[in-house]
């Protein structure tokens, strides 16, 4: 009896130890399960861009939307360079968008960088060094700054980013004057080719208007900014200038704020470009444009949607269904394909009627 009691007690202790071990490992197992579920959810597209924009295939429009190359044609050449802009023109785009900063020497340069509106033009991701473009003169920026070939901010890839050792070096910080003259005089750029100048840094409104006037290019240059005081200043300096109010997160009173600074256009981030927002802007007498984020951000965005790819024809066609009047796209050749498909469809619908 004593031996049986001993064996029974020993077995109970063994089972208790196993239970304790199982309880100790359970949090780790649950953590792995939660991590796997979270990763799977992040990888699985769960949203419809068409539903988000409140658009359907049966919405048709009676205008031919314009295609604007966002920083040029940034998947075929380094963004914000003359080559990128010319390649957008050669691809059939109606215009380009570029970003400008006023440097400490008083020269306007074409550059984007990272950062916020309060601290723009940061160099770490673009050039691999700390600091801001605002700390340089134009000569210093051109001679000292080189672009990080492996930065995830660029769409064109490392093979298309040149340095000083390259015979055909074009990847340097351009001045705005250099870019405007190139676009004005290049044989592949049509006289009606639009140039949308985003006033990226402080103090850019006055010198940008003065430079465009001096080059007699006011008829083909337009001005935009997230800082709406800058476009109000442009309107004060040049009442006939075309201006656009850029928005990231769209407030409920966006129309009133656009009209307050006498903006001519509303520039919606593509995923806020709903049919209702576009219609409201048009009813208020404003033109509209949908802009797409940079390559890195768009890559993150695109995996959320199950009905479109990363700036593929379907994504552009979906945004066009909102009725927006122009697309500021990273892939202008594909955006143009989407536009032509929409035009062909509208013509077909008219003939059927």
């Amino acid at each position: 009896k004593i031996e049986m009691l001993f064996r029974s007690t020993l077995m109970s202790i063994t089972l208790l130890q196993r239970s304790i071990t199982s309880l100790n490992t359970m949090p780790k197992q649950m953590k792995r399960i939660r991590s796997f579920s979270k990763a799977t959810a992040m990888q699985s597209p769960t949203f419809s861009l068409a539903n988000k924009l409140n658009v359907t295939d049966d919405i048709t429009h009676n205008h031919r939307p314009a295609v604007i190359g966002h920083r040029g044609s940034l998947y075929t050449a380094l963004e914000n360079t003359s080559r990128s802009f010319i390649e957008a023109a050669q691809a059939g785009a109606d215009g380009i968008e570029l970003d400008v900063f006023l440097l400490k020497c008083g020269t306007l340069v074409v550059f984007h960088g990272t950062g916020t509106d309060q601290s723009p033009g940061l160099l770490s991701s673009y050039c691999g060094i700390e600091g801001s473009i605002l700390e340089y003169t134009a000569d210093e920026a051109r001679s000292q700054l080189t672009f990080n070939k492996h930065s995830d901010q660029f769409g064109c890839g490392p093979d298309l980013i040149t340095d000083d050792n390259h015979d055909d070096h074009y990847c340097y910080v351009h001045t705005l004057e250099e870019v405007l003259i190139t676009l004005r005089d290049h044989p592949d750029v049509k006289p009606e080719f639009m140039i949308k100048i985003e006033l990226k840094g402080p103090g850019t409104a006055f010198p940008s208007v003065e430079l465009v006037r001096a080059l007699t290019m006011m008829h083909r240059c337009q001005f935009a900014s997230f800082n709406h005081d800058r476009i109000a200043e442009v309107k004060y300096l040049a009442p006939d200038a075309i201006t656009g109010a850029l928005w990231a997160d769209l407030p409920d009173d966006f129309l009133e704020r656009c009209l307050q600074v006498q903006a001519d256009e509303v520039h919606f981030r593509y995923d806020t470009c709903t049919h209702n927002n576009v219609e409201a802007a048009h009813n208020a007498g404003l033109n509209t444009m949908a802009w797409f984020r940079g390559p890195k951000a768009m890559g993150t965005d695109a995996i959320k949607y199950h009905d479109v790819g990363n700036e593929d024809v379907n994504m552009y066609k979906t945004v066009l269904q909102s009725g927006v009047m122009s697309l500021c796209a990273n892939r202008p050749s594909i955006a143009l394909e989407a536009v032509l498909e929409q035009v062909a469809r509208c013509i077909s619908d008219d003939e059927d009627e």
Side-chain angles (χ1 to χ4, degrees):
K1 292 181 180 179
I2 294 173
E3 184 178 353
M4 290 177 63
L5 180 62
F6 176 77
R7 287 180 179 179
S8 176
T9 303
L10 184 62
M11 184 176 294
S12 298
I13 293 172
T14 301
L15 289 173
L16 180 61
Q17 288 175 335
R18 288 177 180 174
S19 298
I20 293 170
T21 301
S22 178
L23 288 171
N24 287 337
T25 59
M26 190 175 294
K28 295 179 181 179
Q29 293 170 347
M30 292 300 295
K31 185 176 182 182
R32 283 197 294 268
I33 291 171
R34 286 195 299 269
S35 298
F36 176 78
S37 300
K38 184 177 180 182
T40 303
M42 290 176 64
Q43 292 172 3
S44 302
T46 56
F47 298 104
S48 163
L49 182 60
N51 288 344
K52 187 170 187 178
L53 300 184
N54 190 29
V55 299
T56 58
D57 288 339
D58 59 355
I59 300 176
T60 58
H61 311 286
N62 57 5
H63 66 273
R64 190 277 200 190
V67 173
I68 307 299
H70 185 214
R71 310 177 201 167
S73 178
L74 57 73
Y75 278 97
T76 64
L78 181 67
E79 65 175 51
N80 275 325
T81 60
S82 291
R83 180 171 299 180
S84 182
F85 302 139
I86 292 168
E87 291 194 7
Q90 292 170 335
D94 301 289
I96 54 91
E97 178 270 354
L98 54 80
D99 308 279
V100 298
F101 285 90
L102 180 68
L103 300 192
K104 62 184 183 180
C105 60
T107 302
L108 292 161
V109 296
V110 180
F111 185 78
H112 190 273
T114 56
T116 63
D117 288 339
Q118 292 73 35
S119 182
L122 300 184
L123 301 173
S124 55
S125 293
Y126 270 58
C127 303
I129 59 174
E130 296 303 315
S132 164
I133 188 74
L134 297 174
E135 299 167 10
Y136 292 76
T137 66
D139 288 340
E140 289 169 346
R142 175 161 183 163
S143 62
Q144 298 178 23
L145 296 181
T146 57
F147 291 95
N148 177 7
K149 293 185 177 185
H150 301 287
S151 172
D152 57 6
Q153 298 289 335
F154 302 134
C156 65
D159 293 341
L160 295 175
I161 300 178
T162 64
D163 53 34
D164 288 331
N165 297 321
H166 199 282
D167 292 336
D168 190 23
H169 180 45
Y170 76 99
C171 298
Y172 56 85
V173 178
H174 292 51
T175 67
L176 178 60
E177 182 175 13
E178 174 188 1
V179 167
L180 292 179
I181 291 173
T182 297
L183 293 176
R184 184 191 65 187
D185 299 341
H186 198 281
D188 291 341
V189 181
K190 297 177 181 179
E192 63 272 21
F193 192 75
M194 286 183 286
I195 303 164
K196 290 183 177 284
I197 301 172
E198 182 183 337
L199 306 173
K200 198 74 178 171
T204 46
F206 177 77
S208 294
V209 170
E210 288 297 292
L211 176 60
V212 171
R213 274 180 172 158
L215 297 175
T216 63
M217 295 181 69
M218 286 295 289
H219 62 291
R220 58 190 299 188
C221 290
Q222 303 174 9
F223 304 86
S225 185
F226 287 101
N227 184 322
H228 299 161
D229 289 341
R230 291 174 192 151
I231 60 175
E233 184 180 353
V234 169
K235 275 295 187 183
Y236 174 79
L237 296 167
D240 294 333
I242 303 297
T243 59
L246 275 160
W247 296 99
D249 298 317
L250 197 69
D252 292 337
D253 63 344
F254 75 93
L255 276 180
E256 291 81 359
R257 291 164 68 174
C258 287
L259 295 171
Q260 186 177 18
V261 294
Q262 298 181 283
D264 299 284
E265 298 182 348
V266 186
H267 294 179
F268 299 104
R269 192 178 65 203
Y270 79 98
D271 56 351
T272 66
C273 193
T274 68
H275 177 62
N276 293 340
N277 286 338
V278 170
E279 189 174 47
H282 292 170
N283 289 339
L286 298 172
N287 290 338
T288 53
M289 184 180 81
W291 61 272
F292 292 79
R293 305 170 75 193
K296 180 181 180 180
M298 286 306 302
T300 302
D301 277 7
I303 61 175
K304 298 183 296 186
Y305 304 116
H306 62 73
D307 54 346
V308 298
N310 183 6
E311 289 195 76
D312 63 358
V313 171
N314 288 334
M315 176 174 274
Y316 290 136
K317 286 168 64 176
T318 299
V319 176
L320 287 171
Q321 286 296 326
S322 68
V324 71
M325 301 182 76
S326 59
L327 298 177
C328 186
N330 294 318
R331 305 180 192 267
S333 59
I334 298 177
L336 185 63
E337 183 181 343
V339 165
L340 295 178
E341 282 191 27
Q342 185 191 46
V343 170
R345 179 186 169 191
C346 290
I347 292 173
S348 176
D349 289 345
D350 289 343
E351 290 175 349
D352 290 342
E353 292 177 1

